[in-house]
Amino acid sequence: MDLVSLQLGTEHLWSWLVRLLSKDPEWLNAKVKFFLPKMELSSGDKAQDATQGVILQLRRLHAHGWATWQAFIHCVCMELDVPLDLEVPLLSTWGHRDGFPSQLEAGEESQPASQLHHGLKRPYQGCGSSPHPKQCKKQQLELARRYLQLLKTSAQERYGSRIPGPGQPLAFHQAYIPPILQWSRTTAPFNTQEGATLGDPKAEDGTDVSIQDLFNTRANKGPRVTVLLGKAGMGKTTLAHRLCQRWADGQLDRFQALFLFEFRQLNLITHLLTLPQLLFDLYLSPEAGPDSVFQYLEENADGVLLIFDGLDQALHPHSSREKEGPEDPSPALALFSGLCRGTLLPGCWVLATSRPGKLPNCLPTEAATVHMWGFDRPRVEEYMVRFFTDQLRQEAALAELRKNRHLQSMCAVPALCQVTCLCLHHLLPCSSPGQSASLLPTVTQNYVQMVSILGPRGYPPPESLLDLSEVALRGLETGKVIFSVGDIRPSTMAFGAALGLLTSFCVCTGPGHQGTGYAFTHLSLQEFFAALYLMASPKVDKNALAGHVALNSRWVLRTKARPGLLDHLPSFLAGLASYACRPFLSHVARRDGTWVGAKQATVMQALRKLATRRLTGPKVVALCHCVGETQEPELASLVAQSLPCHLSFHNFPLTFADLAALTNILGHRNAPIHLDFEGCPLEPHCPEALAGCKQVENLSFKSRKCGDAFAEALSRSLPTMRSLKKLGLAGSKITARGISHLVQALRLCPQLEEVSFQDNQLKDWAVLNIVEVLPCLPRLQKLDLSRNNVSVSTLLCLTKVAVACPTVRTLQVREGDLIFLLSPPAETAAELRGAPDLQGNASQRKEAQSRSLTLRLQQCQLRVHDVQELIAQLQEGPRLDDVDLSGNQLDDEGCRLMAEAASQLHITRNLDLSDNGLSVDGVHCVLSAVSTCQALADLHISVLHKTAVFVFAPEQEQLKEIQKRLTHCGLQAKHLEQLCRALRGRCCHTHLDFSGNALGDEGAAQLAQLLPGLGPLQSLDLSENSLSLDAVFMLTPCFSTLQWLLHLDISLESQHVVLRGDRTGRDQLAGGSLPEFPAGAQFLAFRQPRVRRSLCLRQCQLDPLSLTHLCETLEKCPGPLEVKLSCEVLSDQSLETLLHHLPQLPQLSLLQLSKTSLSPKSPLLLADLFSLCPRVQKVDLRSLYHVTLHFRSSKEREGECCGRFTGCSLSQEHVEPLCWLLSKCEDLNQLDLSANMLGDDGLRCILECLPQLPISGSLDLSHNNISLESALGLVKTFPSCPRIREASVNLGSEQSFWIHFSRQEEAGKTLRLSQCSFGPEHVPILATNLNQALQLTALTITQCCLDLEQLTLLLSLLRWPVGLFSLRVDEPWVGKAGVLALLEVCTQASGNVTEISISEIQQQLCLQLEFPRQGNPEAVALRLSHCDLGTHHSLLSWQLMETCARLRQLSLSQVNLCNTSSLLLQSLLESLSELKTFRLTSSHVSSEGLAHLTSGLSHCHHLEGLDLSNNQFGEEDTEVLMGVLEGMCRLKRLDLSHLPLGSSALAMLTQGLSHMTLLQSLRLSRNGIRDVGWYQLFKALRAASSLKELGLSHNQIRDIGAQHLAAVLPWLPELRKIDLSGNGIGPAGGVRLAESLALCKHLEELMLGYNVLGNSTALELAQRLPQHLRVLHLPSSGLHQEGVLILSRALDGLPYVEEINLAENCLAREVPHFHQGLPLLRQIDLVSCEIDNHAAKPLAASLALCPALEEILLSWNLLGDEAAAELAQVLPQMSRLKRMDLEKNQITACGAWLLVEGLAQGSGIQVIRLWNNPISPDMAQRLQSQEPRLDFAFFDKQPQPPRGS
């Protein structure tokens, strides 16, 4: 096409375009305003005709740039009716950059600069220019007036006319409803009723704020800053513009100037500004005199309002420099900071809007905070009424709203309400009623519906949607919400402008730099399109998509940084992931459903992962929003079930929509949930979202932001929450108005169990209104009204309610606390609701009498007249458990009135009158008032500590003890007579406590006279009364005058003085903090066999005169008497005085001096006491610091004495006088001189004196620095002291030295030497001494460094004239020397060796020597000639044969026999004609060596005992050994245990047994003999008619074998012991055995344990128990209660029974019951028998009938403290008991202490095992320190021999 044709075509398009736009000038004006927001039509423009006006507008659009012109052409083609033949050339010609029309080029005009918000041109060059000359004041005011008028005119032009967008109703911009505004904390205005004239809703109790109230804060001085907080979509920006509009209309006349800035635009300014530049260059410049105008604004700053919208979007922090004036350029945020802090434009008003989150530090702390909550239901309805001008649509929209709760929750957000109304406006004409739930189910689908509505033909073009979505996402990711013309393609911009999705405005990046900015109409719309791009774009993979499904991290108010721009993006992604959005996504993405479904599945999977995590409160809310958008019930159920049972929300704002989303999810939950909202700003009507939620069990709100509106909304929801049990509303601003709503709602909630209204500042009327609802809540258990404002008169009204209401159990008032505790009766809620009033009828009064009430009115300022009214109320009420009136102002009279009324009020527990001003003079009045009260159990009055507590016992409980404590009351001797009169008559079994007073010695003397008149007391405490030693002499005679007095405990230094009767043992425990024992007879105190009296006098100075006086006062005291003294030092004279008076005290049983320093002479003085006072039984002196003297009673005959002088620094010089004094004692049983300083000289002196000392028991000389020489010299003592029977010396770390005596001369004596470190020079000395001690028959040497050479020397030197001598050597080298070397040692003995025992493992060699030596050398030589040995071994064999010619016993245990040793033994065995016993056990021998031994044993025809058990032999070796049995007809004892007896070996054994007619003992344990073998074996036993012991344990005899054995038993009449444990014998075999065992008349030991015998066997055994039975073992035998009961009856009274083992049977309560007892029973084993406390009493009674018991095993049972109490009672009766095992039971510290008390009365026991009982380590340590015989360790401190050994 040539140039002319192109020109003609362009002119044609131009003419056509002008004609088209002339037909619709309004559309053209709207587009010009969109693309050129800074331009407005001038009056000249309006005067031109339509065509000229269109041409002018087109020229302006062209002048703005090619991008704007291109976008405009796209709008023309998209929105107007353009024919296709013109649309194509129009886009092709002018739709690109080079196609500008020439017509515009010809008439192009330059555009002057204009302002940011307004199109007004002003000739102002900026504040940075040179100042104008100074003007007069009048000119200044005129310039300011013109500027202020210009500001208002500009605002009027801007907000005066709003042109609606295409497709929008006319009322779209006129429908403005103010949202809910709520003051935060203490920033509420003085007058909240202002602003009602503006048409806003009236303020409600100061919480619902009108727009006018925003500027009524309390800040009269300094900055006046208000921060408006609201979530996205709440209408913050709309409200900011609304304020501008109202100011322009003259409604905010208090402000002369108003400036509106948006931080999203201020962020575009990158350079520094001054405040005048901000106001004039960036907002609106004055026509002239800017300095004058600014000066006027500074002078009238209180009339200036600056609004900053979007504070949360501020990007640039201000400089750290402080800006002093307006001349300093600063960032925009720094200017905002200066305005807020008052450094710039001081006195001005600043209003900032922001989303919740951390606010900048520049805000002053006194800034007012207002929360913006959106719409409640009335506001939503009003919005719809204004939005829909058509009456039919209006009614239909309201009907949809009222039917759909989800629609209500969406419309609570104003931005969503606008979108919803737009969608309803389009949908209502063509949809049936009630369809909004399906058409608009989620927020996301609302936006999808809106996009489809705005499109000209359904869904808009996918390309345009995807392009716009990409712009949205790119902006969010880079933090951009304002786009320039270059950021958006012209076609995309035209698309956004056509659908009203984009808005435009003028932006300024600095003075003189202006442009046009574009943004989405709302931030949430940008987020929606960003989500759409993520879901529909093929450029976004699944990983990137999943990365955007993230929840907001937790925030706390004022603690988190600026909120981001992606808050709602996950929610929109979740919404687009719903199945309903799949067609829309397929349209946008131009992909099939499978591709879209994969994208949606990615989002769903990400949400499932989030559902299973532990989330904070904000994330839970965000997740609920997301899940609700998906419309997936399965996912909602997963989230609901994953929520914790206690869900807490702290310190972040929550809206109605948030709670609605949470409620929606909870609807899918099965389990109940607790919701706790603390410190959260809550939308006033948000509780309505919880209506109908059946999953909430506990609901708690704690926030000062909750007021009456919140309470009213909550009251509408409560009756619908049928599962709610606990309701809490604390720390709110609720008043009586809100309470009235809640009370009405509570009447409809009968299921409530707990209600809390604490810390709500409620007044009296509101509190009384609440308690009126109590009868309507039948299940209520607690009502908490703490921290409210309640007067005393109201408090008495509440007590009246508590007395009258039948369900109230406790009323507790203390300072701020006010709590009702209730106990629901059996009546139904309906019955209680029908009661006419709180007074009730006769049936209610009857119920009141049967119930009990606890009343605590502490620190309530009650006075005497209040108490009188209270007493009158309580006399008409129920019985009282506790009455606590402490901390009031009752004084003496009020306390007396309450004490008098106590008996009439039927108080069953406590009456507390502490801290009520009770004086000393009022004490006796109170005592007199309660003197007649029969139920008083405890009284404690302390004037100093302000204590007055009365404890009462229930009427049905009989009082055994009463406590009356009058401590720290300032009582003096003059008060005693009056007090005793008040106490007289009710002091029986009373504990009196007068401690902490000022009685003095005078008071003590007076009390000694008055006490007999008070009757028998339990105790009297006179501690801390300034008593001296004279008081002791006054109180001691009370032992004679007061029968109840048993113990007088006095400590003068600590002023502890107590007189008491009998006491429980736990009082003795040091520290005294054991827990109290449960009540009951089983925990009664254990009393001594005789009533003992004791005087304990500590921390005093005792001189001879004082001791004389004390002893004279004690002479008349009844006995038995124990005296315990303690003083720092006791002189010899004082000690002599004390000892001199002892014969005059025949009633004395114990004298103890503890913690008292004595002189070195004191041991001699005490030793002389044996002769001075024959009643002395034991003298115990330890470390010259502790002395204990035990005395016999005067009726007891003289007996053994015991002297113990340990750690007394005794040396050689003390020995002779000490021994001389002790020699006067007729019968000294034990003498302990350990831990002294005797040394070798002292020991020598004692040994010389031994013949003169009448010792009959033992002498302990341990730890006296004794050397080896003294140990060797001990041997010399044996001849001179024939009564010595045993001596032992250990010079190792133990340092023990013991000599044991007998009353008569002993024939055989034993000496044990341990760790004596012998050297070569000591062996000859030892041998010499031994040769002189002919009475010595046994010597044991243990770890004395006696090597092989020294032992050989010792054996060679030992030469006795005649007799037997045993030598035992325990040295480490014995285990390594080998049998051959040890036998070689034996050859050096000078006597005949009659016994040899070798154990390598035990490192032990035992020899028995017979003197004089006898032998036959010729016979030895003859036998040696037949041996095949080497030269050396031949010589050794010859020596052995000579030395061991009379060997009777050879025992080899745990040895390794080499072939040489076995060959030597063979030769030896062949020569031993007198050998009777051979033992080879647990040893290793080769087959060759075994053959040698077998050959040797075959020659031992006189052998009587053969033990080959526990050796490591195979079956072939065993067969070789069995060959030995042939010909052993004299064998009496045979032990082949643990040898594998195969068929061949068993046959040989059977054959051998048939000839052993003298056999008495046969042991075949663990031999693996089969059934057939048992038959052959038992058949062979018939020949052993002399058999006494048969051991067959741990084989598999089973029932068949048992029956075979039963057939043989009648052939064994001499049988005494049979062991069949662990043989798999059942009831059938057991019964058969029991029948046959009856024929064994001499049976003594029966062991059948670890077989399943059952009760039937026990029954049969019980009928046939042998009369000589000593041992019965039936552990783990399947016995039950019946079998044990029958068996115990059969055992009862058997005279010879020593051991019973019934462990691991199910005994439970049927433990062995004995009535006659077992006199010789030593051990009973009941381990793991499920024995509990119920069986404890009969068990203890049975044990008490067994006086010989030494060991009781009760571990691993269920015994508790009751059982411990029963066992402790019988402990004193068991004089021989050594050990009791109570491991792994249920005994606590109380039970353990009861055992301690029992131990104190029975001293024979050595240990009680208590490991693994419920006793804390600290308590165990304390108990063990008090009684060392208690053992709590895992390992036994005293190892016991294996059971059955």
Side-chain angles (χ1 to χ4, degrees), residues 591-644:
R591 298 292 183 97
D592 58 6
T594 303
W595 187 88
V596 173
K599 280 281 189 106
Q600 291 178 321
T602 301
V603 176
M604 298 296 288
Q605 182 62 27
L607 290 175
R608 288 189 184 94
K609 291 181 179 179
L610 291 173
T612 57
R613 294 179 183 174
R614 187 179 182 89
L615 305 175
T616 56
K619 288 189 177 182
V620 169
V621 173
L623 181 62
C624 291
H625 280 292
C626 293
V627 175
E629 290 291 307
T630 64
Q631 293 184 286
E632 285 291 335
E634 180 182 353
L635 179 59
S637 177
L638 175 62
V639 174
Q641 308 307 331
S642 301
L643 291 176

Side-chain angles (χ1 to χ4, degrees), residues 1715-1731:
H1715 299 286
Q1716 302 177 42
L1718 301 173
L1720 298 182
L1721 184 65
R1722 294 184 298 102
Q1723 184 189 79
I1724 184 167
D1725 189 342
L1726 297 174
V1727 172
S1728 188
C1729 289
E1730 302 180 12
I1731 304 173

Side-chain angles (χ1 to χ4, degrees), residues 1569-1586:
I1569 306 175
R1570 298 180 177 86
D1571 297 341
V1572 179
W1574 288 121
Y1575 175 74
Q1576 298 173 356
L1577 180 64
F1578 294 154
K1579 187 176 180 181
L1581 284 178
R1582 297 192 179 197
S1585 58
S1586 300

Side-chain angles (χ1 to χ4, degrees), residues 1003-1057:
Q1006 192 173 353
L1007 267 177
Q1009 302 298 323
L1010 294 172
L1011 282 178
L1014 294 181
L1017 303 178
Q1018 284 286 342
S1019 68
L1020 172 62
D1021 193 343
L1022 299 176
S1023 302
E1024 301 178 34
N1025 269 286
S1026 303
L1027 301 184
S1028 67
L1029 190 59
D1030 292 336
V1032 178
F1033 304 142
M1034 299 172 190
L1035 294 174
T1036 303
C1038 292
F1039 278 120
S1040 303
T1041 60
L1042 302 175
Q1043 291 186 355
W1044 61 267
L1045 180 60
L1046 298 179
H1047 307 284
L1048 178 56
D1049 191 351
I1050 301 176
S1051 177
L1052 292 181
E1053 184 175 333
S1054 59
Q1055 279 294 300
H1056 173 79
V1057 180

Side-chain angles (χ1 to χ4, degrees), residues 44-176:
D45 297 335
K46 297 177 181 179
Q48 298 177 1
D49 57 17
T51 301
Q52 291 300 319
V54 168
I55 294 173
L56 180 60
Q57 297 282 47
L58 291 176
R59 285 176 178 172
R60 288 173 174 170
L61 288 170
H62 164 261
H64 198 266
W66 71 269
T68 302
W69 176 255
Q70 188 179 11
F72 171 73
I73 295 300
H74 280 277
C75 287
V76 171
C77 297
M78 186 179 300
E79 300 183 40
L80 301 181
D81 189 11
V82 180
L84 183 60
D85 57 340
L86 290 176
E87 181 178 348
V88 173
L90 191 62
L91 289 174
S92 60
T93 304
W94 292 337
H96 52 85
R97 185 167 186 173
D98 298 328
F100 281 172
S102 57
Q103 288 82 356
L104 293 179
E105 294 176 0
E108 186 175 308
E109 299 177 359
S110 60
Q111 289 295 327
S114 61
Q115 287 70 36
L116 180 62
H117 296 285
H118 314 288
L120 302 176
K121 295 179 291 184
R122 296 288 175 257
Y124 172 60
Q125 298 177 357
C127 294
S129 58
S130 57
H132 293 280
K134 184 175 180 181
Q135 302 177 5
C136 65
K137 187 68 175 178
K138 184 177 181 180
Q139 291 176 328
Q140 177 186 2
L141 293 176
E142 178 62 22
L143 291 174
R145 184 193 63 79
R146 289 167 56 188
Y147 179 72
L148 296 177
Q149 183 61 40
L150 183 64
L151 275 177
K152 183 156 292 191
T153 303
S154 173
Q156 289 172 348
E157 291 177 353
R158 182 179 186 191
Y159 297 104
S161 174
R162 299 299 302 268
I163 302 174
Q168 297 175 347
L170 293 176
F172 186 79
H173 292 289
Q174 282 71 31
Y176 178 76

Side-chain angles (χ1 to χ4, degrees), residues 1443-1509:
T1443 308
C1444 303
R1446 306 198 62 181
L1447 189 66
R1448 301 182 186 92
Q1449 178 177 325
L1450 178 58
S1451 176
L1452 304 174
S1453 176
Q1454 301 168 337
V1455 300
N1456 287 314
L1457 279 180
C1458 63
N1459 292 337
T1460 305
S1461 300
S1462 60
L1463 188 59
L1464 180 63
L1465 284 174
Q1466 175 187 350
S1467 63
L1468 179 62
L1469 289 172
E1470 291 175 354
S1471 65
L1472 299 178
S1473 58
E1474 298 185 22
L1475 187 65
K1476 301 297 182 182
T1477 303
F1478 178 77
R1479 294 180 69 244
L1480 178 65
T1481 61
S1482 304
S1483 300
H1484 178 73
V1485 187
S1486 65
S1487 299
E1488 182 181 353
L1490 192 59
H1492 295 157
L1493 285 177
T1494 304
S1495 175
L1497 287 173
S1498 63
H1499 291 80
C1500 300
H1501 300 294
H1502 300 281
L1503 205 61
E1504 296 179 358
L1506 179 60
D1507 187 352
L1508 300 173
S1509 61

